[in-house]
Structure formats: structure tokens, C-alpha cells
């Protein structure tokens, strides 16, 4: 029996473990892929307090080592079913079943990919999913962006503030973001827009060198670039939790800055929940909040 089971080993989950362990709780982290989540795939992190520059994998390793040193247990397993029976949570994975007094869901979200061959090959080598994280590395240079909604428009404006030119490609003939963002993008001189273009191939050897597009007339053309930012949405994986906590239309767990769910003792933290800003620092904040609430919940149950 654990005090708290944390589903997800990214920044939110690792921070939740840290706070729970420091409150003398027995903690298990279940992670289905790799420690660190999305941040572990970032070649450089320069927006994390106290670190001028650090690789995402190194930052994730430091977080993981810290909680393991405090006694956190860790299993590389995928949670498949979660139930609450007589105030005890039962979490079933692809290998075993565990019980806990409280559960924190910190499964994060993944960027929606283009679905092109060799896309993984160029990740961090010219292909990026976070302009805020990786855009500054291309200050003074031309970059390319694919996307048409709010995130893409915000990324375009952010990149245009320090890149010499931002080439924006959209799949359809218009933007789908807020009108005010569209107006700002259209009024920015160094943002060049091309609608009705579908990316069909990534070009390069060791790093990205260009993209092959096809327009609505069927014309195929090559666009040279050393930096491509993709902002076509994120994909959460919360289906197994919807019986305990409702999901919004995009599949995110509905919660606010309190990180609570509709089920007592169940908390949600990080990119898997409904929120406006998804960054490593906001995930860490959620981790601290959710763990503190989980500890108070457990202590209250014991005292009652």
C-alpha cells in the first residue's frame, strides 16, 4: 500500500513526488515511456530558474535522482485501469496492480506531429514543437512555422520578435485563431504567410535542411529552412481516467489551479489538465500544489 501513486514521470509528477516524500509519504511513480516527459527531448532548456543552459534530459535526470534519493519507488509501466474502492485507489498496469490512499495524474500531453517519415530523426536538430523553449536559438535567422490556430499565431509573433523572418504555412486557406492575434500577425512585416500548403516530406541528412510542400493545386515545391516549428495542437492521453474526472472536448482533464478533480483524493497536475500555459515551470507548480493537497487529504482521512 502506497500513500500516493503518481501516474507520469515528467516535471509535474517528479515535483509532486518531491513534495510528498518531504511530507513523509510513501510514493510510487508509474511512467510508461521515459523520465522527464516532453522536457527530456529538448536539446537545451534556458527558461528554467537557476539554470542558464541545461539539456532537458540532464534536468530530468537531476529531478529523478533527487526523488529516488528520498525513497521514491519507480516502475516503468503503463496504467490501464484506475478504480476507487472503499476510499482506496487501485491502479492496474500492464504488469501489476497497486493500491494507494491518493492518486495524482500527471500524464502530460504530446505535441501533435506531422506524421511524416523520419520526423523523429530531426527532433531537436531543426524540428521543434515549442517556440518559447527553442526559438531563441535562432535569433537573427529565418525560421519556418506550420500551424493555423492560437498557438501557431502566438508562436509566429514570438519568433518574429527576434528572428529575421518567419515563414508561416497553413493547411487551409485561413487562420482559425482569435481575431486580434490574426490582425497582429498580418500586420507584422517579417511574417510571410502561405496558405493551403501541406507538408509531405522533411529533407536533410544529420539535421533539417528543408520541407517539401504540396499546395491545393497539387504543385509540389521545396522550402529551404534550418528551423521548423510545428504548432498543430497537443494530444493528451486521459481516456482511462474519464470515469473519475471529466474531460473537456480536447481530452484534457478538467481542473483549475487547485489541481482537484471531482473524485476525492484524486488530483491532476501539469499539461494533462485544462490550462492556458503549458511550460516546465507551470508543471512544477502543479506538482507542488497537487502533492500538498494529496498529503492534506491523506492526513485528514487518518485523523477522521
Amino acid at each position: 500500500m502506497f500513500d500516493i501513486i503518481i501516474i507520469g514521470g515528467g516535471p509535474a509528477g517528479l515535483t509532486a513526488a518531491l513534495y510528498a516524500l518531504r511530507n513523509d509519504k510513501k510514493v510510487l511513480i508509474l511512467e510508461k515511456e521515459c523520465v522527464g516527459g516532453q522536457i527530456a527531448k529538448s536539446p537545451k532548456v534556458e527558461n528554467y530558474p537557476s539554470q542558464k543552459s541545461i539539456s532537458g534530459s540532464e534536468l530530468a535526470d537531476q529531478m529523478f535522482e533527487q526523488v529516488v534519493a528520498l525513497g521514491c519507488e519507480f516502475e516503468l509501466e503503463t496504467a490501464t485501469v484506475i478504480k476507487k474502492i472503499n476510499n482506496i485507489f487501485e491502479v492496474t498496469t500492464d504488469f501489476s496492480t497497486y493500491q494507494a490512499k491518493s492518486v495524482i495524474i500527471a500524464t502530460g500531453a504530446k505535441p501533435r506531429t506531422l506524421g511524416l517519415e523520419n520526423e523523429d530523426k530531426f527532433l531537436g536538430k531543426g524540428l521543434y514543437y515549442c517556440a518559447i523553449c527553442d526559438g531563441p536559438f535562432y535569433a537573427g535567422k529565418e525560421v519556418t512555422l506550420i500551424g493555423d490556430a492560437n498557438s501557431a499565431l502566438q508562436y509566429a509573433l514570438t519568433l518574429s520578435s527576434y528572428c529575421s523572418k518567419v515563414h508561416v504555412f497553413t493547411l487551409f486557406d485561413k487562420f482559425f485563431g482569435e481575431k486580434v492575434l490574426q490582425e497582429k500577425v498580418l500586420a507584422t512585416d517579417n511574417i510571410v504567410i502561405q496558405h493551403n500548403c501541406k507538408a509531405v516530406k522533411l529533407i536533410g541528412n544529420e539535421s533539417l535542411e528543408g520541407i517539401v510542400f504540396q499546395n491545393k493545386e497539387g504543385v509540389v515545391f521545396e522550402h529551404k529552412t534550418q528551423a521548423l516549428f510545428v504548432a498543430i495542437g497537443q494530444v493528451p492521453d486521459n481516456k482511462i481516467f474519464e470515469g473519475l474526472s471529466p474531460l473537456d472536448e480536447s481530452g484534457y482533464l478538467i481542473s483549475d489551479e487547485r489541481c482537484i478533480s471531482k473524485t476525492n483524493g484524486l488530483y491532476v497536475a501539469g499539461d494533462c489538465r485544462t490550462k492556458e500555459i503549458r511550460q516546465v515551470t507551470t508543471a512544477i507548480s502543479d506538482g507542488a500544489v497537487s502533492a500538498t493537497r494529496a498529503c492534506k487529504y491523506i492526513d485528514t482521512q487518518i485523523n477522521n
Side-chain angles (χ1 to χ4, degrees), residues 121-122 125-126 203-210 225-226:
K121 171 183 175 181
F122 297 113
K125 299 177 181 179
I203 302 171
N205 293 313
E206 297 301 318
S207 60
L208 184 69
E209 298 174 12
T225 188
Q226 292 182 331

Side-chain angles (χ1 to χ4, degrees), residues 65-94:
E65 290 169 2
Q66 185 178 19
V67 298
V68 169
L70 289 173
C72 182
E73 296 189 38
F74 177 86
E75 296 293 345
L76 199 61
E77 300 177 14
T78 301
T80 56
V81 178
I82 178 172
K83 300 177 181 178
K84 187 179 183 183
I85 306 170
N86 297 326
N87 284 330
I88 297 298
F89 289 91
E90 185 176 274
V91 180
T92 300
T93 73
D94 45 356

Side-chain angles (χ1 to χ4, degrees), residues 36-283:
Q38 291 185 61
I39 199 67
K41 298 179 181 179
S42 180
K44 288 185 181 180
V45 178
E46 295 185 339
N47 59 355
Y48 186 84
S50 80
Q51 298 288 346
K52 290 183 179 179
S53 181
I54 187 172
S55 72
S57 60
E58 185 180 359
L59 180 60
D61 287 344
Q62 290 180 5
M63 292 180 178
F64 181 66
E65 290 169 2
Q66 185 178 19
V67 298
V68 169
L70 289 173
C72 182
E73 296 189 38
F74 177 86
E75 296 293 345
L76 199 61
E77 300 177 14
T78 301
T80 56
V81 178
I82 178 172
K83 300 177 181 178
K84 187 179 183 183
I85 306 170
N86 297 326
N87 284 330
I88 297 298
F89 289 91
E90 185 176 274
V91 180
T92 300
T93 73
D94 45 356
F95 290 105
S96 189
T97 297
Y98 305 94
Q99 291 184 325
K101 301 169 186 175
S102 180
V103 170
I104 297 173
I105 302 171
T107 49
K110 293 182 177 180
R112 191 181 302 277
T113 66
L114 295 169
L116 300 180
E117 184 179 359
N118 294 328
E119 195 164 344
D120 289 343
K121 171 183 175 181
F122 297 113
L123 185 61
K125 299 177 181 179
L127 174 64
Y128 308 96
Y129 297 97
C130 180
I132 297 173
C133 307
D134 303 305
F137 301 125
Y138 294 91
K141 301 178 181 180
E142 291 191 20
V143 298
T144 303
L145 172 70
I146 294 177
D148 54 24
N150 280 344
S151 293
L153 294 170
Q154 290 168 342
Y155 278 6
L157 292 169
T158 297
L159 291 167
S160 70
S161 67
Y162 47 73
C163 294
S164 60
K165 186 177 290 187
V166 182
H167 298 272
V168 179
F169 291 86
T170 72
L171 182 61
F172 300 102
D173 61 354
K174 61 181 180 180
F175 289 117
F176 294 92
E178 296 174 359
K179 184 177 180 181
V180 64
L181 289 176
Q182 294 187 43
E183 291 174 347
K184 288 180 179 179
V185 166
L186 293 171
T188 304
D189 293 337
N190 65 333
I191 296 179
V192 180
I193 302 165
Q194 287 186 254
H195 291 302
N196 295 306
C197 294
K198 178 182 179 181
V200 295
K201 186 178 181 180
L202 300 177
I203 302 171
N205 293 313
E206 297 301 318
S207 60
L208 184 69
E209 298 174 12
I211 313 153
V212 176
F213 287 97
Q214 183 179 42
N215 65 21
K216 67 176 182 178
E217 288 80 24
V219 177
V220 176
F221 63 95
E222 183 178 330
H223 171 73
K224 294 288 187 181
T225 188
Q226 292 182 331
L228 169 62
F229 294 89
V230 178
I232 56 176
Q234 289 189 315
V235 183
D237 185 16
N238 296 321
K239 190 69 176 177
I240 68 168
F241 309 122
E242 63 180 346
L244 295 172
S245 185
L247 311 181
D248 71 1
E249 59 184 12
S250 298
Y252 290 99
L253 291 157
I254 297 175
S255 185
D256 56 19
E257 302 303 317
R258 297 173 297 169
C259 298
I260 61 176
S261 75
K262 75 170 187 178
T263 301
N264 287 337
L266 179 70
Y267 303 89
V268 296
D271 289 0
C272 65
R273 76 169 180 86
T274 50
K275 61 192 307 181
E276 181 179 357
I277 299 173
R278 292 184 170 89
Q279 290 286 293
V280 61
T281 47
T282 61

